[in-house]
């Protein structure tokens, strides 16, 4: 039976999230230690994002325990802090009961003499554990090193591979879009392809799943010449009509007087007559690159200078010209989609496949991996359907998985959840679902997620604040997920009435679903 | 057999005699060692009865601080650190690197620099330590000329014009390439063995350091490993080594050598410098302490993960499976470590436990230490605890202490206390200001001569300008990467444009001739290829011979040619159609006027006039009856100030310029478009005035650091001014 409430706690920076997480840890101890025979302290797992945070939470838990177990604090400050802690745990009680005192004393003793019982680790370290214990035997990886510079070290080999004649033409076209004198200057691009390989997996998976869906397929299909030509024809017709309107309603015979600056810059020498402009436009749009320049130069899709058509009598004309401009740029975007975007996408995906294939070969040869590699291989080994490395429903493997993951960790407390990447979440999700449902290998468990949707410091490595915002809707099976927000009682804190942050539940948001 | 469980509740068990326990919590491992060496080490009365417990001592970075005359580390040394292994490693790396170069005939300068930095390498080729700096000067010359490779025939050294030549480098490389030639013949292990101790091959004794030969058993270990390696051949397991090692030529030679290095690498050798009977403080580990008792025990690195140690990575079976099968699992090993630890502590008279804590790295004192502390809290035994020990080595005297120590008269390590550290003050205000002595700095003519890049540096960061441009102290990258830098590419591009434009300028070309020259892409490509292969231009030694070379010849060259074609259609044709013009492209050498320069600024300081002269050469000028054009070709970022510079240099200082319009633009080679904002007379004046202001400030206040953080990154490797963050110095 599970008498634990799962929680999503959102709070701003500086409101004492570490304090709160440590408090939740103690709540679990009080609720289960000594009460359930099959509960041990290492059933509680706290996940963080940095080693520093790991150490801070560990220290804070220890400090909370020491403070609570010390019935006669030596200083006034300690006494106040202890009182604050007690109040947070039991607002209606003055001190610990005998039973609680015994439980906390025992927990403090056990955690001090065996730090491994205090399971606080970074999410990278946790996934690394899954990888070592489950994925390595499965993939016959006997030993490997974690090397955060592994991608950097492999890049020269990858580049050498990419310059082989069979890839040259693909690269030529792709890299010509943004030329640099050295292949090394594309390092970040190649690195991103490796780092975001799960995206490649998703794209390939999506390609398969939409095979029967005509709309998306046609949108993403390069080489649809009819659609491309229609778009260009529409652009040219629109431009012709717009020039005629400018000629007819403008007050000058010189087109330079009624066009915007960006448009003028398209031509080394701007034509002095409208006929000349028609010729110049048709020359410019004769190549896709010319069209791209037109698109890029005319900011916000502006060609004509609206100030020159502001009079009352031209109001209607001006509206028609604006509508025409919008049509031109919509068609231009469609045209560029076919001439630039889709071919580029296709080239990227082809180069991506070649890079990943070679990268994996190098990875098996040198056996050094980044945390991103580990996350990816873990996710692939556990959940890939293309092809599935093993069947998760197979009892032996499932037992192995649960033995490692959920048998041991029954309460999961995640700090700074907004920094979780999609890939990490994909790996954590089953175990989060398992423990929060109160079912599975043991009939107790729980999930507490703490985060601040306003700040994500790991955005650069794929941290997804959206995950935090939508967690309740993602976890449909969860019925008793409680969402809390708290804010510090700033005034009290400032006045020294409370040295540790105190909490007030601002609102108890109704349960999902 | 399972170890007995020690019950900390009853410490009166026979054999437990601890009466002095100290727990010293430092900031890190370095502080731990300093704390030990500066105090505790000398308090040991009977070194033969004392032990330091440190499982990783033999690999620890601080091991060199422990004098072997006083500390005995029975653990053997890895052969990887020996002269033999290091030199063979260099040879292997060089063979491997040459493999991918043109006709396997070039060696990267980076590797030569690395090798020359190693005393083993210089000793092997007979270069005395006294000539090391002269050798470095020769290497620096190559670096300053952007050389990336040296060829096997050493033709490069003949082509580079250096007054003193390359006597040392030439000698070393000649011998080195001769040896590499021999090694390149290796196609199987036997070939390597046949080269050992032959006159033209490798003499093993010459690979070793003197102390290794005199005081260690390294030769014994080496020959034993070599004979094991030879058994690969005698057993006849492999017939075709090329197939097994997947290569031929240099690749195969490098692989065979690598195979030998791998078999050699696990070897250990021992030094026997000190007579075995002298009493020394023993270094040991938990496992080796079984059944031994010492009167004084020091524990190093008593942090979580070391004592107790972390679980080892699993292989084949995980912890749960091992436990189920009755095999040893982590809890068993932990229990064993706990027993060894507590037994050693409790059976000693005096025990000092060094531990440390680091929040950033998640390091904290180990569980056994906290368990021990908790258990002893209630006992009569008083634990002395010290926290946050912070000491700093007095570097100047550290060396002397080391010398003294090596003479067997032990001196404690001298250290500065935290209080003494606090007394050191740096004058931040003036630290990054170089005083200006105008007469000395600007010479008898009281002027500076500067090109555009020099002036740009002066404007941004006078401090760096003084070092780099006035005193010519360049920042050298001693590990040049084999990449195509923008600087090198810019030089190729300019040479190419010059080769295209110069014949046209000489002929006095008209527009049809320009069209013919600029749109014949086949001819343009030929011009570029000839340029890249011209041995006198040294591109052969400057262009990386890896994937970048392929990228340059097969992708970039086409783009460069295409950009030149578009320069004609988009820039030249629209501007020059129907107009008479004169093309003035950049010459290989400066014209008399360009070399002489022009005076841009004149200012008075303490009764004497000082001036700034500018000189340089623009990529292309086109003079028409109504208008003059200045064009600069760019592959990277551009700054309009460069165009202003050329305008002043060529036209604005002339009285006659005012009746002609000036039009200056960049041609952005890779974007294939023009760049640069419109230049007004106001901007022209402002630029000159701001330069005059900087120059006057330098005369009056000295050469100060750039005000923006980004500007201070100039010469960062030399000055580390990029770390300067005083509030007043940082405007960003």
């Amino acid at each position: 039976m599970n008498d634990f409430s799962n929680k999503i706690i959102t709070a701003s920076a500086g409101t004492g999230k570490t304090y709160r997480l440590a408090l939740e840890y103690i709540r679990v101890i009080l609720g289960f230690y000594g009460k359930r025979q099959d509960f041990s302290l290492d059933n509680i797992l706290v996940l963080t994002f940095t080693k520093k945070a790991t150490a801070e939470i560990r220290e804070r838990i220890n400090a909370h325990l020491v403070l609570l177990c010390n019935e006669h604090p030596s200083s006034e400050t300690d006494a106040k802090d202890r009182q604050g802690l007690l109040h947070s745990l039991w607002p209606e009680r003055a001190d610990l009961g005998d039973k609680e005192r015994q439980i906390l004393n025992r927990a403090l003793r056990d955690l001090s003499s065996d730090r491994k019982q205090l399971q606080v680790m970074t999410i990278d370290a946790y996934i690394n554990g899954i990888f070592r214990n489950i994925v390595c035997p499965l993939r016959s990886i006997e030993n490997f090193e974690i090397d955060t510079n592994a991608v950097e070290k492999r890049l020269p080999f990858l580049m050498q591979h990419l310059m082989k004649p069979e890839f040259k033409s693909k690269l030529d076209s792709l890299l010509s879009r943004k030329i640099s004198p050295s292949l090394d200057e594309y390092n970040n691009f190649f690195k991103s392809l490796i780092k975001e390989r799960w995206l490649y997996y998703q794209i390939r998976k999506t390609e398969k799943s939409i095979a029967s869906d005509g709309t998306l397929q046609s949108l993403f299909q390069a080489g649809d010449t009819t659609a491309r030509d229609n778009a260009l024809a529409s652009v040219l017709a629109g431009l012709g009509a717009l020039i005629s309107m400018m000629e007819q309603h403008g007050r000058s015979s010189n087109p330079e007087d009624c066009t915007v600056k960006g448009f003028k810059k398209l031509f080394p020498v701007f034509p002095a007559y409208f006929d000349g402009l028609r010729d110049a436009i048709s020359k410019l749009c004769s190549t896709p690159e010319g069209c791209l320049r037109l698109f890029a130069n005319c900011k916000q899709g502006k060609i004509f200078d609206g100030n020159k058509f502001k009079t009352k009598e031209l109001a209607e004309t001006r509206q028609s010209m604006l509508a025409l401009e919008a049509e031109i740029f919509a068609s231009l975007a469609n045209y560029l989609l076919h001439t630039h975007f889709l071919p580029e996408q296709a080239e990227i995906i082809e180069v991506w496949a070649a890079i990943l294939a070679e990268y994996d070969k190098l990875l098996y040869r040198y056996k050094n991996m980044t945390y991103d590699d580990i996350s990816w291989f873990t996710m692939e080994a556990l959940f890939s359907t293309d092809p599935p490395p093993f069947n998760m429903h197979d009892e032996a493997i499932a037992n192995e998985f649960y033995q490692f993951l959920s048998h041991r960790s029954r309460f999961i407390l995640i700090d700074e959840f907004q920094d979780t990447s999609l890939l990490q979440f994909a790996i954590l999700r089953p175990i989060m679902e398992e423990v929060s449902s109160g079912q599975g290998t043991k009939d107790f468990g729980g999930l507490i997620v703490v985060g601040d949707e306003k700040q994500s410091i790991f955005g650069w490595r794929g941290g997804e604040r959206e995950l935090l915002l939508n967690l309740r809707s993602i976890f449909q099976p969860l019925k008793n997920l409680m969402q809390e927000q708290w804010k510090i009682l700033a005034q009290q804190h400032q006045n020294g009435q409370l040295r540790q942050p105190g909490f007030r539940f601002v609102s108890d948001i109704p349960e999902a679903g | 057999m399972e170890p007995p469980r020690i019950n900390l509740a009853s410490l009166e068990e026979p054999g437990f005699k601890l009466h002095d326990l100290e727990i010293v919590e430092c900031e890190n491992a370095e502080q731990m060692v300093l704390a030990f060496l500066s105090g505790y080490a000398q308090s040991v009365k009977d070194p033969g009865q004392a032990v330091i417990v440190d499982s990783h001592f033999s690999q620890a970075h601080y091991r060199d601080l422990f004098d072997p005359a006083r500390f005995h580390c029975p653990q053997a040394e890895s052969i990887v650190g020996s002269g033999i292994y290091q030199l063979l490693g260099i040879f292997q790396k060089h063979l491997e690197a040459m493999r991918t170069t043109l006709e396997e005939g070039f060696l990267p300068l980076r590797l030569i620099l690395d090798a020359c930095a190693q005393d083993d390498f210089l000793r092997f080729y007979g270069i005395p330590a006294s000539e090391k700096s002269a050798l470095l000067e020769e290497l620096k010359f190559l670096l300053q000329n952007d050389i990336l490779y040296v060829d096997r025939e050493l033709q490069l050294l003949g082509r580079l014009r250096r007054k003193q030549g390359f006597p040392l480098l030439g000698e070393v490389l000649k011998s080195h390439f001769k040896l590499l030639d021999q090694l390149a013949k290796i196609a199987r292990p036997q070939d390597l063995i046949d080269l050992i101790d032959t006159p033209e091959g490798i003499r093993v004794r010459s690979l070793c350091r003197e102390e290794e030969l005199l005081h260690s058993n390294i030769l014994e270990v080496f020959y034993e490993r070599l004979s094991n390696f030879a058994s690969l051949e005698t057993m006849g397991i492999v017939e075709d080594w090329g197939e097994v090692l997947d290569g031929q030529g240099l690749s195969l030679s490098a692989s065979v050598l690598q195979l030998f290095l791998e078999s050699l690498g696990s070897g250990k050798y021992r030094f026997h410098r000190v007579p075995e009977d002298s009493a020394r403080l023993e270094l040991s580990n938990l496992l080796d302490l079984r059944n031994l008792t010492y009167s004084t025990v020091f524990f190093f690195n008593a942090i979580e993960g070391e004592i107790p140690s972390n679980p080892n990575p699993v292989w084949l079976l995980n912890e749960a499976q091992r436990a189920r099968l009755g095999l040893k699992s982590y809890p068993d090993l932990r229990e064993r470590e706990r027993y060894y630890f507590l037994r050693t502590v409790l059976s000693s008279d005096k025990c000092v436990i060094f531990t440390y804590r680091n929040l950033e790295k998640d390091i904290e004192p180990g569980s056994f230490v906290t368990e021990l502390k908790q258990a002893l809290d209630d006992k009569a035994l008083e634990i002395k605890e010290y926290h946050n020990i912070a000491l700093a080595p007095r570097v100047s005297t550290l060396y002397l202490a080391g010398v003294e120590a090596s003479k067997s008269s032990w001196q404690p390590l001298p250290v500065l206390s935290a209080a003494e550290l606090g007394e050191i003050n740096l004058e931040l205000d003036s630290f990054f200001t170089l005083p200006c002595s105008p007469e000395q700095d600007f010479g008898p003519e009281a002027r500076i001569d500067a090109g555009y890049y020099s002036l740009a540096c002066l404007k941004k960061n006078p401090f760096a300008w003084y070092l780099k441009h006035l005193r010519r102290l360049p920042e050298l990258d001693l590990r040049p990467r084999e990449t195509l830098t923008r600087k090198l590419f810019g030089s190729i591009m300019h040479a190419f444009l010059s080769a295209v434009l110069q014949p046209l300028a000489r002929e006095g070309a008209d527009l049809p001739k320009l069209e013919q020259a600029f749109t014949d892409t086949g001819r343009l490509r030929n011009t570029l290829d000839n340029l890249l292969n011209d041995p006198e231009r040294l591109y052969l030694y400057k262009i990386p011979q890896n994937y970048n070379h392929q990228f340059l010849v097969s992708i970039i060259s086409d783009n460069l040619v295409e950009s030149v074609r578009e320069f004609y259609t988009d820039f030249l044709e629209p501007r020059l159609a129907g107009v008479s013009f004169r093309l003035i492209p950049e010459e290989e050498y400066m014209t008399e006027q360009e070399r002489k320069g022009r005076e841009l600024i004149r200012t008075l300081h303490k009764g004497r006039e000082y001036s700034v002269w500018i000189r340089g050469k623009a990529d292309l000028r086109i003079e028409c009856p109504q208008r003059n054009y200045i064009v600069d070709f760019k592959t990277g970022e551009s700054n309009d100030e460069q165009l202003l510079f050329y305008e002043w240099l060529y036209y604005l200082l002339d009285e006659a310029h005012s009746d002609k319009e000036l039009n200056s633009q960049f041609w952005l080679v890779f974007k294939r478009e023009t760049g640069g904002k419109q230049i007004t007379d106001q901007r022209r004046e402002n630029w000159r005035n701001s330069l005059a202001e900087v120059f006057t400030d330098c005369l009056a206040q000295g050469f100060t650091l750039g005000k923006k953080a980004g500007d201070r990154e100039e010469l960062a490797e030399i000055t580390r001014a990029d770390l300067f963050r005083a509030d007043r110095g940082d405007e960003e």
Side-chain angles (χ1 to χ4, degrees), chain B residues 219-413:
Chain B
L219 288 178
E220 187 187 319
V221 175
F222 176 81
Y223 284 113
E224 188 188 320
R225 294 273 159 167
L226 190 68
S227 67
N228 286 342
F229 187 62
S231 64
L232 279 176
E233 288 279 37
T234 50
M235 288 166 75
I237 300 167
V238 178
E239 266 184 34
D240 184 348
W241 284 93
E243 194 184 351
V244 171
L245 297 174
D246 194 22
Q248 51 186 346
L250 275 188
S251 170
L252 181 55
S253 315
S255 299
V256 173
L257 202 48
Q258 178 61 31
L259 194 65
F260 177 60
L261 281 171
E262 277 172 22
S263 70
L264 185 64
S266 58
K268 306 256 186 205
Y269 70 113
R270 284 172 198 278
F271 276 99
H272 37 79
R273 277 186 286 223
V274 178
E276 292 298 337
D277 56 353
S278 65
R280 291 177 290 165
L281 215 154
E282 186 92 1
L283 280 137
S284 189
N285 57 55
L286 266 188
L287 201 67
D288 289 349
L289 286 181
R290 278 174 302 187
N291 305 322
L292 296 176
T293 304
Y294 290 85
S295 69
T296 310
V297 179
F298 298 97
F299 277 95
F300 277 12
N301 302 312
I303 55 170
E304 190 71 18
E306 293 285 337
I307 302 174
S309 59
N310 274 334
N312 283 327
V314 296
W315 181 71
L316 197 60
L317 300 171
N318 66 25
E319 287 290 343
Q321 289 166 324
R322 293 181 71 85
R324 271 188 230 162
L325 290 169
L327 298 169
K328 274 201 177 55
S329 59
Y330 177 68
D332 304 323
L333 298 175
R334 187 183 186 280
E335 193 54 37
R336 202 168 278 263
E337 278 180 6
R338 180 178 175 274
Y339 172 74
Y340 294 150
F341 173 79
L342 292 175
R343 198 200 61 82
T344 308
V345 173
L346 298 173
S347 63
S348 67
D349 293 318
K350 175 186 170 77
C351 178
V352 184
I353 299 172
F354 289 98
T355 180
Y356 41 96
R357 189 185 294 272
N358 185 325
L359 210 63
E360 296 282 343
K361 294 179 182 165
D362 190 21
I363 292 172
E364 57 179 1
S367 302
F368 298 159
V369 181
T370 38
E371 188 184 356
L372 186 69
K373 257 167 65 178
Q374 259 182 5
L376 296 181
D377 262 353
D378 305 331
K379 308 286 167 194
L381 183 71
E382 187 193 346
I383 307 171
K384 293 175 201 147
E385 283 193 66
Y386 306 96
H387 293 280
N388 301 323
I389 302 294
L391 303 159
R394 196 189 291 272
V395 179
S396 56
T397 42
L398 194 63
Y399 170 75
L400 292 173
V403 172
E404 287 301 312
S406 67
K407 289 178 192 164
S408 298
S409 56
W410 172 255
Q411 296 284 317
L413 277 181

Side-chain angles (χ1 to χ4, degrees), chain B residues 84-112:
Chain B
I84 293 184
Y85 190 95
Q86 290 294 314
L87 277 165
L88 290 176
I90 290 174
F91 301 153
Q92 194 278 337
K93 212 185 273 182
H94 288 198
L95 287 176
E96 181 77 38
M98 288 176 75
R99 185 173 65 86
T100 51
T101 61
L102 191 65
E103 294 172 2
E104 300 187 337
F106 293 82
L107 185 59
L109 181 61
R110 180 176 47 87
L111 294 185
I112 298 174

Side-chain angles (χ1 to χ4, degrees), chain A residues 52 54 58-59 112-116 132-133 142 159 179-185 268 400 403, chain B residues 304 310 315 318 320-321 324 334 357 359 362 364 367 370 374 483-484 486 547-548 556 559 570 670:
Chain A
K52 189 181 176 187
T54 301
R58 209 178 272 149
E59 285 215 336
S112 310
S113 58
D114 184 358
R115 296 289 167 99
K116 293 276 179 300
R132 283 180 191 274
N133 283 280
E142 283 178 33
M159 307 274 203
I179 281 288
S180 292
S182 154
L183 197 55
D184 295 321
E185 293 198 18
E400 176 77 1
Q403 177 67 38
Chain B
E304 190 71 18
N310 274 334
W315 181 71
N318 66 25
Q321 289 166 324
R324 271 188 230 162
R334 187 183 186 280
R357 189 185 294 272
L359 210 63
D362 190 21
E364 57 179 1
S367 302
T370 38
Q374 259 182 5
T483 187
L484 195 69
R486 293 227 164 213
Y547 47 85
N548 277 313
I556 292 292
N559 272 282
D570 288 9
F670 291 138

Side-chain angles (χ1 to χ4, degrees), chain B residues 166-179:
Chain B
F166 299 90
L168 291 169
L169 188 61
E171 192 188 328
V172 169
L173 290 181
K174 199 172 148 194
S175 312
H176 187 50
F177 279 122
K178 201 170 152 195
L179 177 63

Side-chain angles (χ1 to χ4, degrees), chain A residues 218-485:
Chain A
S218 63
L219 183 63
F220 284 96
Q221 194 168 27
D224 183 351
T225 50
T226 319
R228 183 196 64 197
D229 295 346
N230 287 345
L232 182 61
S234 165
V235 171
L236 291 172
L239 283 168
L242 189 68
I243 291 170
S244 298
M245 289 175 92
M246 283 194 277
E247 189 175 19
Q248 193 182 339
H249 301 287
R251 289 178 186 167
S252 166
S253 60
N254 187 346
E256 198 170 356
D257 296 336
C258 53
T259 45
V260 296
K261 201 171 156 192
F263 183 74
K264 283 178 209 161
K265 275 187 77 179
L266 282 166
F267 311 96
V269 179
F270 198 82
Y273 302 99
F274 283 99
D275 281 343
L277 182 59
R278 285 190 184 89
D279 292 343
I281 276 284
S282 105
K283 193 178 166 197
L284 180 76
C285 295
S286 64
T287 62
E289 283 66 37
C291 290
L292 185 63
R293 281 179 59 208
L294 174 64
F295 193 81
N297 269 36
C298 299
K299 308 279 179 229
Q300 296 167 335
K302 295 272 175 262
I303 292 177
F304 72 93
D305 185 349
N307 291 329
K308 302 286 158 62
F309 300 88
K310 257 190 167 169
T311 53
K312 259 187 186 172
E313 61 272 24
L314 287 179
E316 208 172 309
T317 311
R318 189 164 175 266
Q319 283 309 317
S320 312
M321 287 170 80
L322 284 172
L324 199 51
E325 231 175 24
E327 264 177 52
I328 293 168
F329 278 89
S331 302
L332 193 57
N334 274 339
Y335 175 68
L336 294 173
L337 181 78
H338 285 282
T339 58
H340 282 79
F341 181 75
L342 292 176
E344 190 176 350
Q345 284 280 91
E347 283 160 12
I348 289 176
I349 287 175
E350 232 176 319
V351 170
W352 211 345
I355 285 182
L356 292 180
E358 184 64 14
Y359 182 79
D360 285 350
K361 275 190 206 163
L362 292 166
L363 196 138
Y364 275 91
R365 192 185 307 159
Y366 295 103
K367 294 194 166 60
N368 53 348
M369 300 186 197
T370 62
Y371 279 114
D372 286 326
D373 290 331
I374 287 169
S375 291
W376 161 251
F377 283 113
T378 305
M379 147 102 180
E380 190 207 29
L382 298 180
F383 311 114
S384 168
T385 51
D386 183 28
F390 59 71
N391 180 3
M392 273 299 285
H393 300 296
D394 178 301
E395 199 186 337
I397 291 159
N399 278 344
E400 176 77 1
F401 183 71
Y402 286 123
Q403 177 67 38
F404 181 74
L405 295 173
S406 56
H407 184 75
R408 185 171 185 189
S409 308
R410 295 305 305 171
F411 293 92
I412 301 186
L413 283 62
I414 308 179
D415 189 24
E416 305 289 3
F417 188 76
Q418 76 280 358
D419 289 332
T420 314
S421 73
L422 282 173
L423 188 55
Q424 288 167 335
F425 179 68
I427 296 165
L428 289 178
R429 187 176 172 156
I431 175 77
M432 286 167 78
E433 275 177 343
E434 151 101 25
V435 298
S436 57
S437 67
Q439 292 164 0
T441 52
K442 291 182 185 176
D443 67 352
F444 59 87
L447 173 71
I448 295 174
V449 161
V450 179
D452 176 1
E453 74 277 11
K454 290 191 191 111
Q455 62 168 79
S456 170
I457 59 165
F458 282 99
W460 52 273
R461 45 171 288 186
E464 283 287 340
R465 60 190 279 278
E466 298 296 318
L467 271 179
L468 178 63
L469 296 173
N470 300 319
L471 196 58
R472 286 200 308 164
S473 56
I474 295 169
F475 274 121
Q476 282 304 331
L478 294 181
K479 292 294 174 203
N480 58 344
L481 203 62
M482 188 165 105
Q483 178 148 352
E484 301 168 359
Q485 287 178 305

Side-chain angles (χ1 to χ4, degrees), chain B residues 578-592:
Chain B
V579 184
S580 68
F581 60 88
R582 185 164 78 99
L583 280 187
I584 314 172
E586 177 187 20
E587 293 286 335
E588 197 146 339
Y589 299 101
M590 284 182 176
T591 60
E592 183 59 28

